[in-house]
Amino acid sequence: MTSLDPVLDEHYATVLARNPGEREFHQAVLEVLETLSPVVRRHPEYADQSVIERICEPERQLIFRVPWVDDQGVVQVNRAFRVEFNSALGPYKGGLRFHPSVYLGIVKFLGFEQVFKNALTGMPIGGGKGGSDFDPKGRSDGEVMRFCQSLMTELYRHLGEYTDVPAGDIGVGEREIGYLFGQYKRITNRYESGVLTGKGLAYGGSQVRKEATGYGTVFFTEQMLAAAGKGISGRRVVVSGSGNVAIYAAAKAAELGAQVVACSDSSGYVVDEAGLDIDLLRRVKEVDRARISAYADEREGARYVEGGDVWEVACEVALPCATQNELDAGAATTLVENGVLAVAEGANMPCTPDAVDVFQKGGVLFAPGKAANAGGVATSALEMQQNASRDSWTAQHTEERLHQIMAGIHESCASSAEEYGTPGDYVAGANIAGFRRVADAMLALGVV
């Protein structure tokens, strides 16, 4: 752990005391504070006006129950959360996650990360996050619909295109967004397309939104490699996960000439030395909703490793796209020993702090999630623009905008790292660039 400036250390101690047991949130806050010492020394006004203390405290935290009836007529009760973290730059923006692991600490970690990620995009959006411990896996469409309708019956009063605009995350795709938007429209009697993003194309959704996080991760990786005098074409790539982010990161990497040889899910991983068949992977995971082993069953030459760690597979570019803290120091050491050149986080905080330390000490180019996976929320903001103007854009135009935004994020991270004495450190650069944009807005708005 880097030694914290005394002022920052005091704020971190306050975070620990106020938020006991929320280890993911503690980890996210510490990761940012560790990089801010040169910033607070150069800009004492941030400490004088308690900006750091305020930025670590959510503006609003909502916790509520979600009762619903399953297909057997049994009443189920889940818990849901919405943490509206910071609105200095615009309405709260961030996804909803449906997964059994969801609790307040995870939602706060995701919301805190979202504040800086959204700031890096340059778009006028604040940061928030939400979710529930509901598990959509194995549930019928009717059960998912009834759960979503019950959740929105409470959540709707806190939302609005100028207030809080949720999107999807793990467990929340186009199906769930459709049910949530339908209930919002029914309750409010208003067709506010801009109140949810990730919608279907038939009712206000944006082209490339589904692909955006994965595409953006690869665009950032491409920029990072180029800045180091390298390229992505011909590189051997491994992706963790097999959801939206992983599938479309693999697709874009392959389109740019990389050889994507492995991906995973919670049951194990597959290796396909010929390069992943993206169409087959999409059918297995998005249509059949099967385990990753089904890919190997249908693909000649592919092999499935049950319960294994995908980071055992040698690669030059690693894209962790599954979930938080999935890649630890041991896996990072294996990757470095196998010659990895670049790691970019497609998921939110998938690398543990010890893993990041291994990469940085090993001379590996490392892109943190708040920069590398910002393409999803950037395209959500583009969806909001289209909804506000009653317009729709082509896939080509939207992807071009996404590419421009990711190039801008890379430039912000690289230039901030250089300015504050840590050239090439994308973790510091992302944290400093995002923090300064939010902090300056907070100072301008007064003590609110």
Side-chain angles (χ1 to χ4, degrees):
M1 173 179 158
T2 304
S3 178
L4 291 179
D5 180 280
V7 172
L8 297 173
D9 190 52
E10 180 182 337
H11 288 310
Y12 185 59
T14 300
V15 168
L16 294 177
R18 282 181 171 170
N19 307 277
E22 297 173 359
R23 63 183 185 85
E24 295 88 356
F25 179 51
H26 302 162
Q27 180 182 336
V29 172
L30 180 60
E31 189 261 358
V32 171
L33 295 185
E34 284 181 328
T35 61
L36 294 185
S37 291
V39 179
V40 296
R41 285 195 291 270
R42 192 180 300 184
H43 299 279
E45 65 270 21
Y46 295 146
D48 294 343
Q49 296 296 315
S50 297
V51 169
I52 296 162
E53 183 176 6
R54 286 190 279 152
I55 216 167
C56 292
E57 186 69 21
E59 292 175 9
R60 188 174 296 107
Q61 302 179 63
L62 310 169
I63 305 176
F64 55 96
R65 72 181 182 206
V66 185
W68 58 282
V69 181
D70 67 20
D71 287 345
Q72 286 69 49
V74 177
V75 175
Q76 304 286 339
V77 180
N78 287 97
R79 178 176 286 181
F81 309 85
R82 188 69 181 172
V83 174
E84 297 175 331
F85 221 107
N86 192 292
S87 59
L89 296 176
Y92 309 106
K93 186 83 191 77
L96 296 169
R97 175 176 295 191
F98 293 171
H99 192 272
S101 66
V102 170
Y103 80 109
L104 186 59
I106 280 181
V107 176
K108 284 165 69 174
F109 130 61
L110 292 168
F112 185 76
E113 287 278 291
Q114 199 79 46
V115 171
F116 305 108
K117 180 191 304 184
N118 293 1
L120 285 171
T121 69
M123 311 291 274
I125 44 177
K129 205 75 178 184
S132 171
D133 57 6
F134 171 75
D135 189 354
K137 284 184 180 176
R139 292 294 182 183
S140 69
D141 287 351
E143 288 176 320
V144 173
M145 180 184 72
R146 291 191 291 276
F147 171 81
C148 289
Q149 289 176 340
S150 181
L151 182 145
M152 185 53 78
T153 300
E154 170 58 34
L155 187 60
Y156 87 94
R157 69 190 79 241
H158 306 289
L159 306 183
E161 60 183 312
Y162 301 111
T163 306
D164 188 352
V165 182
D169 195 87
I170 293 172
V172 179
E174 192 173 308
R175 174 184 62 170
E176 289 76 15
I177 292 294
Y179 294 149
L180 290 165
F181 181 68
Q183 185 72 351
Y184 181 88
K185 183 174 75 70
R186 180 187 190 187
I187 292 171
T188 63
N189 193 34
R190 294 192 300 271
Y191 204 106
E192 295 180 6
S193 298
V195 78
L196 282 165
T197 58
K199 300 182 294 296
L201 293 176
Y203 61 101
S206 172
Q207 299 272 9
V208 192
R209 176 59 190 90
K210 189 174 186 179
E211 300 91 342
T213 306
Y215 280 15
T217 300
V218 175
F219 289 151
F220 192 96
T221 307
E222 183 184 32
Q223 294 280 330
M224 184 169 65
L225 285 166
K230 300 178 173 64
I232 194 169
S233 180
R235 300 292 181 189
R236 183 178 167 91
V237 177
V238 167
V239 180
S240 69
S242 50
N244 268 357
V245 181
I247 289 172
Y248 293 107
K252 183 53 68 176
E255 183 184 319
L256 294 175
Q259 184 83 347
V260 187
V261 297
C263 67
S264 64
D265 66 11
S266 58
S267 67
Y269 67 88
V270 293
V271 180
D272 189 345
E273 294 292 349
L276 291 177
D277 181 332
I278 303 300
D279 290 336
L280 174 58
L281 180 61
R282 286 184 60 190
R283 177 169 62 78
V284 166
K285 300 306 292 188
E286 296 183 347
V287 179
D288 301 340
R289 298 182 185 270
R291 307 309 293 164
I292 199 68
S293 58
Y295 176 95
D297 293 340
E298 296 193 40
R299 174 75 163 171
E300 185 178 354
R303 62 184 174 89
Y304 169 65
V305 180
E306 183 175 2
D309 185 350
V310 73
W311 306 120
E312 299 165 352
V313 182
C315 63
E316 295 170 283
V317 176
L319 304 176
C321 296
T323 191
Q324 69 270 4
N325 292 325
E326 57 163 294
L327 199 166
D328 61 16
T333 300
T334 299
L335 283 166
V336 172
E337 290 173 349
N338 286 335
V340 73
L341 300 174
V343 178
E345 294 187 318
N348 290 299
M349 209 170 68
C351 299
T352 66
D354 288 342
V356 176
D357 189 52
V358 169
F359 291 136
Q360 292 182 325
K361 287 180 177 175
V364 176
L365 297 168
F366 178 77
K370 63 171 62 69
N373 74 28
V377 73
T379 307
S380 281
L382 298 180
E383 183 176 332
M384 292 167 67
Q385 282 187 20
Q386 294 169 80
N387 295 155
S389 61
R390 302 293 192 268
D391 198 2
S392 62
W393 302 341
T394 65
Q396 180 181 350
H397 177 71
T398 306
E399 187 172 335
E400 287 172 355
R401 288 290 310 275
L402 171 62
H403 199 286
Q404 292 166 1
I405 291 168
M406 297 310 297
I409 293 172
H410 177 270
E411 173 58 28
S412 293
C413 295
S415 60
S416 292
E418 181 83 30
E419 181 183 353
Y420 284 88
T422 55
D425 186 340
Y426 287 94
V427 174
N431 289 339
I432 291 168
F435 171 81
R436 288 210 59 203
R437 184 160 187 247
V438 178
D440 288 346
M442 291 175 69
L443 286 176
L445 297 178
V447 181
V448 294

